[in-house]
Amino acid sequence: MQKILLVTPPLTQLNTPYPATAYLTNFLKEKGFTVFQTDLGIELVLEIFSKNGLRKIFEEAKSKTPKENLVAFQRILKLENVYLETIEPTIKFLQGKDSTLANRICNSDFLPEGSRFEVFEELDFAFGNLGITDKARFLATLYLEDLADFIRGTVSPFFEFSRYAEKLSLSATSFEPLEKALLQETNFVDKILLELLEKHLQTFQPGVVGFSVPFPGNLYGALVCGKFIRQNFPQIKILLGGGFVNTELRELSEAKFFDFVDFVTLDDGERPLLNLLEFFEGKREKGLLKRVFLRENGEVKFLNGSFDRDFPHSETGFPSYEGLKLDCYLSVFETLNPMHRLWSDGRWNKLTLVHGCYWKKCSFCDVTLDYIGRYELSPIKILVDRIEKIV
């Protein structure tokens, strides 16, 4: 039985893992498969925003000439040593591992300040005299965003927190912009990403790698990884699925897309993934796969001949976070809006309470899709059992 590696490509949230791979990991383990999972997004961020990683970024950036914001980038370059000395303590603070740094951040010149700091002048009004920790996290987030701007302007045009080359996926009316970016020389940040991926491939030796793409900002990273696997580990099967795929790639017809992946699945992933694994083991005919795109004889085909039903919500199990670095996520503070900050503030234990939507009347929503239209509740006892298992 082949080993499976499930990957969340960069970038989603920095404060908590996206739960898709966690659900599928536990589901497949209960079916007897050997499964590993990783969040390449947080790993990439932690690799870059370390003293050693940032030193490499600065060295690479010195040979580049940014097209805009030249003065701001020159200022950051001049403060290189200050950034190198403050980056790891700041990351440790945002991970909740050193709360004592809050006063130094708020009451001294501990953090170097770039252009992001110029926008906010009334911080005392926003946080008052008591919000020292929140104010420090907000300032530390501005500090990281300054560095992210610097990276994007010098060594990687696609780098951005919570998204990676998102514009390539959002604005494209064809596959051409993405393909052009993927065929260019590998940029510096992508090289770091691929080094991280290769370590996992060497460690786990998977026969199947599945990428979950929940948002537009995950697609480019997934395809960069798929390209690397195809070139260096051609024996590995590459799968792609997730929320963005379910909404934006339902009519996939671009054959070149499959230069980077082998199979693309739609909607709930449990049954399509299980059918594919049976196919890889010779236990299922290709025509009996479920909701799968593939390339055959140079053409994209959609196969949905499986007679197996989707698993009811009550049978999909609970998310297992085993293998994810839960103590390494960053609690960042991107906005002063108290509602919006919930997205990036603190780690979440995410649990799906119901499947689909009970309302099904919103005009902007395609309620004919199974993962929306099939509304299923789980009994309270099952939900409580799942909460206890997560704990």
Side-chain angles (χ1 to χ4, degrees):
M1 188 173 289
Q2 298 187 78
K3 297 177 183 177
I4 305 157
L5 175 62
L6 299 177
V7 179
T8 303
L11 282 159
T12 52
Q13 294 168 259
L14 298 179
N15 60 310
T16 197
Y18 194 79
T21 64
Y23 267 103
L24 291 172
T25 294
N26 186 66
F27 172 82
L28 291 174
K29 282 186 175 181
E30 290 187 343
K31 299 296 180 184
F33 292 93
T34 301
V35 190
F36 308 97
Q37 62 177 326
T38 183
D39 181 352
L40 285 180
I42 190 64
E43 291 184 20
L44 177 65
V45 166
L46 294 178
E47 184 69 23
I48 291 173
F49 295 105
S50 65
K51 190 171 185 177
N52 185 50
L54 205 54
R55 182 182 289 112
K56 293 178 181 177
I57 293 289
F58 276 112
E59 287 302 315
E60 181 73 12
K62 290 173 184 176
S63 64
K64 309 290 184 182
T65 302
K67 297 179 181 179
E68 54 187 27
N69 298 329
L70 181 60
V71 174
F73 292 145
Q74 288 176 336
R75 171 176 168 77
I76 289 179
L77 276 175
K78 289 179 181 179
L79 294 171
E80 175 183 352
N81 290 334
V82 183
Y83 279 104
L84 293 178
E85 292 304 314
T86 54
I87 187 62
E88 290 187 354
T90 302
I91 291 294
K92 191 175 180 181
F93 167 70
L94 290 173
Q95 290 172 330
K97 297 177 180 179
D98 184 8
S99 60
T100 64
L101 197 64
N103 279 298
R104 290 186 65 191
I105 291 175
C106 292
N107 300 318
S108 71
D109 295 327
F110 178 75
L111 294 179
E113 297 183 3
S115 58
R116 291 274 184 165
F117 286 78
E118 298 171 2
V119 181
F120 299 95
E121 298 178 352
E122 302 296 331
L123 291 184
D124 288 338
F125 174 79
F127 293 101
N129 295 321
L130 299 178
I132 296 296
T133 299
D134 278 352
K135 181 179 178 181
R137 282 199 288 130
F138 184 66
L139 292 172
T141 304
L142 294 179
Y143 160 89
L144 290 184
E145 289 179 336
D146 271 335
L147 286 171
D149 292 341
F150 177 75
I151 291 169
R152 188 167 58 255
T154 54
V155 301
S156 174
F158 304 132
F159 186 81
E160 193 171 352
F161 286 126
S162 301
R163 54 189 66 87
Y164 197 42
E166 183 181 63
K167 291 180 181 178
L168 289 175
S169 303
L170 281 177
S171 61
T173 55
S174 72
F175 184 58
E176 187 175 347
L178 258 175
E179 182 188 25
K180 182 178 179 181
L182 290 164
L183 295 179
Q184 289 178 354
E185 182 181 354
T186 307
N187 69 64
F188 193 74
V189 170
D190 284 353
K191 290 179 182 178
I192 297 175
L193 169 64
L194 296 177
E195 287 173 3
L196 293 168
L197 174 65
E198 186 172 16
K199 287 180 182 178
H200 290 301
L201 297 177
Q202 297 289 2
T203 299
F204 301 128
Q205 297 289 312
V208 178
V209 175
F211 293 96
S212 176
V213 180
F215 306 112
N218 300 102
L219 182 60
Y220 172 79
L223 296 181
V224 166
C225 292
K227 175 185 174 183
F228 177 81
I229 294 172
R230 180 65 60 82
Q231 291 175 344
N232 298 279
F233 300 86
Q235 76 280 7
I236 294 178
K237 299 290 192 300
I238 308 166
L239 317 182
L240 191 75
F244 176 77
V245 177
N246 296 341
T247 55
E248 303 301 323
L249 298 183
R250 301 197 71 85
E251 298 180 6
L252 180 61
S253 60
E254 179 55 74
K256 292 181 181 179
F257 195 89
F258 293 89
D259 290 342
F260 307 94
V261 300
D262 293 307
F263 301 91
V264 176
T265 68
L266 294 181
D267 301 337
D268 291 357
E270 287 86 0
R271 180 61 75 183
L273 187 52
L274 196 59
N275 283 178
L276 275 168
L277 294 174
E278 292 170 349
F279 169 65
F280 298 153
E281 294 176 357
K283 300 177 180 178
R284 176 175 291 268
E285 295 179 10
K286 184 185 293 185
L288 296 180
L289 294 175
K290 194 173 189 72
R291 294 194 303 269
V292 170
F293 285 107
L294 53 84
R295 182 171 62 187
E296 197 169 64
N297 298 322
E299 296 182 353
V300 178
K301 291 189 176 182
F302 182 67
L303 303 181
N304 193 25
S306 174
F307 295 103
D308 299 327
R309 64 180 176 84
D310 278 298
F311 289 92
H313 177 57
S314 58
E315 296 179 15
T316 54
F318 65 97
S320 168
Y321 294 97
E322 183 180 359
L324 299 177
K325 302 176 180 179
L326 297 184
D327 62 334
C328 291
Y329 285 83
L330 310 178
S331 187
V332 293
F333 200 154
E334 298 173 304
T335 174
L336 298 178
N337 185 307
M339 288 301 294
H340 291 172
R341 66 177 282 194
L342 290 174
W343 171 254
S344 57
D345 185 12
R347 196 176 76 79
W348 291 69
N349 287 320
K350 296 183 178 180
L351 186 68
T352 305
L353 301 182
V354 299
H355 181 284
C357 175
Y358 75 93
W359 183 241
K360 296 193 286 288
K361 293 183 180 179
C362 297
S363 59
F364 58 81
C365 192
D366 188 351
V367 299
T368 63
L369 301 181
D370 177 79
Y371 77 99
I372 299 171
R374 177 163 55 92
Y375 177 65
E376 294 178 348
L377 283 166
S378 283
I380 295 299
K381 182 182 183 306
I382 289 179
L383 292 177
V384 173
D385 286 345
R386 290 176 178 175
I387 291 172
E388 290 178 343
K389 287 178 180 178
I390 292 175
V391 171

